[in-house]
Every structure is written in C-alpha cells, then in structure tokens.
C-alpha cells in the first residue's frame, strides 16, 4: 500500500509534479458506517492549529537528537517521548 511504510516520506502524498494526491489507504477518520462524524470540524481545527503554530515558530530537532519513528504500542501507535525546539520566527 505504502512504498516506504517505515520511513518518513512525504512523497507518499505527492504526485510526479509535487502536487498533493489523495491516498485511499490514509484513513485517520475511518470509513463507512462508523466514519468519524467530526471529520470536517477536526480538519478545520487542525488546519488553524498547525497554521498558527507554523506561522509563529520554526521547529527543529535538538542538535544530536534526530527524530525517530519508534512508537509505543497501545490502542494506537503512540510516539515515544521526544524533545523539539520551537524558535519564535
Ligand atoms: C484529529 C481528530 C479526530 C480523529 C483522528 C478522529 C477519528 C475517528 C475515528 C477513526 C473514528 C471511528 C471509530 C470507530 O471505528 O469506531 C471516529 C468516530 C467518531 N468521531 Fe472522530 N476523530 C477526530 C475528531 C472528532 C471530533 C472533533 C468529533 C466531534 C466534534 C468527533 C466525533 C466522532 C464521533 C461522534 C464518532 C462516532 C461515529 C459513529 O460511530 O457513528 N471526532 N473518529
């Protein structure tokens, strides 16, 4: 389904021209009868939340602490604790 499932790879969502492409395998809000009723609200909130943050801060990994895709297994796959630098722009 995903070309490189264990790697951070934005190309999963980009076509040959670098434009966004929708992938049927991406189902954060589920599908069918039990699809999330709050999807549209959540999408608007996420857009506003991350736009505000990205307009105000530059984010980066602390020196010598590269980001990792390791996770804790539970009801969902939860990222392990990590540190992030948020520098006002
Ligand atoms: C990033 C935010 C959200 C994600 C990733 C998300 C994801 C999901 C998923 C995967 C389901 C299906 C669960 C299942 O299969 O049983 C679900 C169901 C549901 N979600 Fe969300 N959700 C989000 C935000 C919201 C918000 C903001 C609301 C309401 C204001 C909401 C209301 C609901 C309701 C009512 C259901 C049950 C639908 C049903 O079973 O008929 N969700 N959500």
């Amino acid at each position: 389904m995903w070309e490189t499932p264990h790697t951070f790879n934005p190309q999963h969502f980009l076509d040959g021209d670098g434009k966004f492409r929708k992938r049927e395998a991406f189902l954060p809000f589920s599908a069918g009868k039990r699809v999330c009723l709050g999807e549209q609200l959540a999408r608007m909130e996420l857009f506003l939340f991350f736009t505000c943050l990205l307009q105000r801060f530059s984010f980066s990994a602390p020196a010598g602490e590269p980001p990792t895709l390791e996770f804790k297994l539970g009801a969902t796959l939860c990222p392990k604790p990590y540190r992030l630098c948020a520098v006002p722009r």
Side-chain angles (χ1 to χ4, degrees):
M1 209 51 88
W2 303 104
E3 294 78 17
T4 56
H6 301 296
T7 310
F8 174 71
N9 181 1
Q11 297 298 328
H12 287 150
F13 298 96
L14 300 175
D15 65 18
D17 299 324
K19 301 234 168 73
F20 177 75
R21 69 170 164 152
K22 209 169 180 316
R23 300 292 298 263
E24 286 187 2
F26 184 66
L27 286 172
F29 298 99
S30 193
K33 283 186 182 173
R34 307 309 302 239
V35 68
C36 175
L37 293 181
E39 176 171 352
Q40 294 311 317
L41 175 64
R43 283 186 181 275
M44 285 191 291
E45 287 177 345
L46 289 168
F47 176 80
L48 292 172
F49 180 78
F50 284 109
T51 306
C52 285
L53 281 178
L54 292 168
Q55 281 176 342
R56 289 166 177 74
F57 296 94
S58 293
F59 293 94
S60 60
E65 295 182 34
T68 167
L69 293 179
E70 284 179 30
F71 55 83
K72 276 188 297 186
L73 188 57
T76 59
L77 304 186
C78 184
K80 288 193 171 166
Y82 60 93
R83 300 191 321 144
L84 193 64
C85 298
V87 180
R89 290 160 73 104

